[in-house]
Amino acid sequence: MAFRDYDPYERDYGIVPDIVKQFVVYLYRHIRERNIPEIESMYEVSFPKLSDRYFKQGPWPPVDAISDLVDQDHVFCLLYKELYFRHLYAKTQPSLRARCESWDNYCDLFGVILHGNVNMLLPNSWLWAMVDEFLYQFQSFAQYRTKLAGKSAEEVELLKKCDKVWNILDVLNVLQALIDKSGIVAELSRDGGAELAAHDGYIPGQSNVLRMLGYFSLVGQLRVHCLIGDYSTGLQSLFPLNLFERGKLYTQLLSGCHITLFYYSSFAYVMLQRYTDAGRCLNAILSYIHRVKQLHARNAAYDQILKKNEQMYALLALVVGLCPAVQSTLDEHVLVALKDKFGEKLQRMFRGDEGLFDEAFMYGCPKFITAAPPAYDNPSAAGPQEAYLRQRSLFLRQVGGVSRLPLLKQYLLLYSSISLPKLAGLLETDEATLRTALACLKKSNYCLQWDGGRDMTSGSFTSTADIDFYIDVDTATGAELVMLSDNITTRHQAELLSRHIVKFEAIVRDLEAPPVAVAAPAQAAY
């Protein structure tokens, strides 16, 4: 593939700062020594500090400028380039050449891990970021290639030649290869990840690289399938994981992995109209963020955590608006926060305001992509918003089916029985339309809910209704009547009190526990 010699991300690196050279040398040494605390300190502390100090507006030195410092070690150079391109994406607008070279580097890196004898140790945070960045760059390229309006004819021709770069099938194949080669599915099926959790992902005497990349690729598959609108397949890819089992590995390892897993799971459930499961996912992850967000206040990812938190509250608002019964399943602090953020809007959603559902969806949804490349010869055929508009249309179709039901429900609550003609008159509609609306209301009262199996798409239908009704014939007049049977669900005080008792006991245990000595953070070496 031919590119022009000049590229805007290239710079003259005749002189690399000495402190940067020291960082590279020490990182290489610690990786060879399998010294996880030092690697983690250099990755999470030193690298961001050096980036902010020396490379705030541009890229790190290219790999050729530092390769002699590390004996031209092939694997280390691939790891360095992974950090190089990640920083490039964060600080600049990458060119097509940079996007292609980053793809080639990921292919080489994952190829070495899959087919070589890799016995090194890397921090789990780096391995998660590797998968996360791999998918972010895939998503970024899919969006980049759809923005044809501002591209020259030469750029479009180059894009045509890049049909194998960031191809969705190749991306999914890489994730699946990591999962298969790691054996993580069999391991999770055997003990639920108990051994990994007991050692925080670092089993003594074994490399954690392939195993943890396979684990994180399970979450990566969910993300990719949700981005293209294949929600059932995304949930099925979570087969070994149990989202609602306490003490799972993803809750112990990394907040980023945990939040990504539950965000995309809950969104998939929303699009599959499984609102109780979506509410359960959102309640779990919002409670988790409520507990841990202050621990990440100085973390570089803190702003991203807060943004995802707001997105998920927007999703929870539309879930509650479509299925009010979900409110009774939420933790008290989550429900209070939801009402603080969306109190008045929730009431309008209950009355069927489609505009607010659209607004919440637009804010809470991921950045969708199209699996296939655009029609390069016809740039106006589809724009960069095509994928979003398609998913938005599907969602609003769901909302449109239930947006007129709140008014019907309000009239039904006024009567113990009412004839069809009278109810149709109150709603200013005909009896045929009314029968359709009653059928929709009846259907909306039942929701498919996960039944505890390993398949997150399986479940059984449960009632979420606050009223129930049926149509009967009045024997005296022969008229059809809508008969109401109250089935109002109330939140039992015993359940509320028991939750508070458990929380109070946990607080007392924490207060009575002896203070834990906090170890001084490892000093970064560079």
Side-chain angles (χ1 to χ4, degrees):
M1 188 180 305
F3 291 96
R4 291 175 298 176
D5 292 335
Y6 169 76
D7 193 84
Y9 80 89
E10 291 181 341
R11 284 170 50 179
D12 180 14
Y13 277 103
I15 300 178
V16 177
D18 288 340
I19 196 169
V20 174
K21 292 181 180 179
Q22 292 176 27
F23 169 83
V24 171
V25 170
Y26 280 114
L27 180 61
Y28 174 57
R29 178 187 301 173
H30 293 317
I31 289 177
R32 288 180 60 87
E33 295 172 351
R34 297 161 59 96
N35 189 337
I36 282 294
E38 288 294 339
I39 300 171
E40 193 165 23
S41 175
M42 298 192 73
Y43 169 74
E44 295 186 357
V45 180
S46 304
F47 182 73
K49 283 186 176 180
L50 290 174
S51 298
D52 190 61
R53 181 176 177 183
Y54 292 98
F55 313 111
K56 197 167 187 176
Q57 304 297 330
W60 273 63
V63 69
D64 293 340
I66 59 92
S67 59
D68 289 340
L69 300 174
V70 295
D71 304 322
Q72 297 190 0
D73 185 283
H74 180 58
V75 175
F76 181 85
C77 288
L78 293 175
L79 291 172
Y80 177 85
K81 288 169 69 177
E82 196 273 331
L83 294 176
Y84 171 90
F85 283 113
R86 191 193 310 176
H87 176 77
L88 182 72
Y89 269 77
K91 297 299 183 180
T92 68
Q93 182 63 36
S95 64
L96 179 57
R97 175 181 176 180
R99 295 173 190 271
C100 293
E101 290 186 354
S102 182
W103 164 252
D104 290 339
N105 186 68
Y106 273 118
C107 289
D108 293 341
L109 178 58
F110 289 139
V112 168
I113 293 171
L114 287 167
H115 306 298
N117 184 21
V118 177
N119 61 356
M120 64 181 172
L121 290 175
L122 290 177
N124 290 325
S125 55
W126 190 346
L127 296 173
W128 162 249
M130 199 179 292
V131 173
D132 187 57
E133 182 70 16
F134 176 65
L135 297 181
Y136 166 73
Q137 292 187 21
F138 156 68
Q139 182 181 7
S140 175
F141 183 81
Q143 294 169 333
Y144 169 81
R145 69 184 179 185
T146 61
K147 300 175 182 178
L148 300 176
K151 291 182 172 59
S152 65
E154 182 183 1
E155 289 175 314
V156 173
E157 286 301 316
L158 286 174
L159 268 177
K160 290 180 181 180
K161 298 176 182 178
C162 296
D163 56 326
K164 298 298 183 183
V165 174
W166 294 111
N167 180 279
I168 186 169
L169 292 179
D170 292 333
V171 169
L172 289 172
N173 285 339
V174 167
L175 296 176
Q176 189 61 52
L178 291 170
I179 293 169
D180 293 341
K181 186 68 179 292
S182 67
I184 192 66
V185 171
E187 184 171 350
L188 294 176
S189 300
R190 183 176 64 251
D191 64 2
E195 185 180 12
L196 273 177
H199 297 93
D200 293 329
Y202 306 101
I203 297 178
Q206 300 180 26
S207 170
N208 69 321
V209 173
L210 184 56
R211 177 184 282 107
M212 297 313 301
L213 284 176
Y215 185 92
F216 296 138
S217 293
L218 292 170
V219 182
Q221 282 189 334
L222 167 67
R223 176 176 173 179
V224 173
H225 287 298
C226 284
L227 291 177
I228 62 174
D230 190 358
Y231 305 108
S232 293
T233 304
L235 290 172
Q236 288 170 356
S237 68
L238 297 178
F239 163 69
L241 302 181
N242 185 331
L243 292 179
F244 307 115
E245 186 176 337
R246 296 181 65 84
K248 296 306 290 182
L249 179 59
Y250 50 75
T251 64
Q252 297 177 237
L253 289 178
L254 298 163
S255 295
C257 175
H258 192 184
I259 293 170
T260 299
L261 172 62
F262 275 80
Y263 169 72
Y264 285 102
S265 297
S266 60
F267 187 81
Y269 278 132
V270 169
M271 297 303 289
L272 293 174
Q273 303 183 49
R274 296 178 57 168
Y275 303 122
T276 54
D277 285 331
R280 192 176 177 187
C281 282
L282 290 166
N283 181 65
I285 191 59
L286 290 171
S287 295
Y288 171 80
I289 294 175
H290 177 76
R291 293 194 306 270
V292 306
K293 67 180 179 181
Q294 293 306 320
L295 301 177
H296 298 273
R298 296 185 178 181
N299 194 304
Y302 183 64
D303 290 340
Q304 294 180 353
I305 292 175
L306 293 183
K307 181 180 179 181
K308 270 289 182 276
N309 187 67
E310 295 302 310
Q311 282 186 287
M312 288 187 287
Y313 267 110
L315 291 180
L316 184 59
L318 63 85
V319 166
V320 170
L322 291 168
C323 183
V326 168
Q327 292 181 90
S328 64
T329 67
L330 302 178
D331 289 344
E332 190 172 6
H333 65 87
V334 173
L335 184 59
V336 169
L338 177 66
K339 290 183 176 179
D340 286 344
K341 296 174 185 292
F342 294 93
E344 181 184 350
K345 291 182 177 180
L346 271 179
Q347 297 305 316
R348 290 167 59 188
M349 285 180 173
F350 291 149
R351 294 193 293 268
D353 190 328
E354 291 189 29
L356 288 177
F357 283 106
D358 188 14
E359 178 184 321
F361 178 83
M362 179 175 63
Y363 184 74
C365 71
K367 294 182 179 179
F368 299 106
I369 60 174
T370 54
Y376 294 115
D377 297 329
N378 187 12
S380 60
Q385 294 295 312
E386 179 193 9
Y388 163 73
L389 293 175
R390 188 185 301 120
Q391 299 303 317
R392 172 178 174 267
S393 175
L394 291 173
F395 173 73
L396 292 181
R397 195 180 305 168
Q398 295 179 26
V399 175
V402 299
S403 62
R404 296 176 180 83
L405 299 183
L407 181 60
L408 172 59
K409 186 185 290 187
Q410 289 176 18
Y411 278 118
L412 290 177
L413 288 171
L414 297 175
Y415 297 89
S416 59
S417 65
I418 183 174
S419 68
L420 280 178
K422 183 176 180 180
L423 183 57
L426 291 172
L427 293 170
E428 300 180 350
T429 187
D430 56 82
E431 288 190 34
T433 304
L434 175 59
R435 287 179 185 275
T436 301
L438 288 169
C440 288
L441 180 58
K442 193 74 172 179
K443 178 182 178 297
S444 69
N445 286 342
Y446 291 88
C447 186
L448 188 64
Q449 187 171 349
W450 181 67
D451 56 8
R454 285 294 187 184
D455 185 358
M456 301 303 296
T457 61
S458 66
S460 55
F461 283 95
T462 57
S463 175
T464 60
D466 51 2
I467 62 170
D468 198 8
F469 64 91
Y470 59 93
I471 297 178
D472 201 357
V473 178
D474 188 344
T475 55
T477 62
E480 290 184 299
L481 300 175
V482 181
M483 310 294 293
L484 274 292
S485 56
D486 290 337
N487 184 31
I488 300 177
T489 58
T490 58
R491 193 171 186 177
H492 298 293
Q493 298 301 321
E495 178 187 354
L496 180 63
L497 289 173
S498 65
R499 284 188 182 180
H500 281 284
I501 290 171
V502 171
K503 290 180 181 179
F504 179 73
E505 289 176 344
I507 293 172
V508 171
R509 283 196 303 271
D510 291 342
L511 292 174
E512 293 178 345
V516 179
V518 179
Q523 295 297 317
Y526 46 72

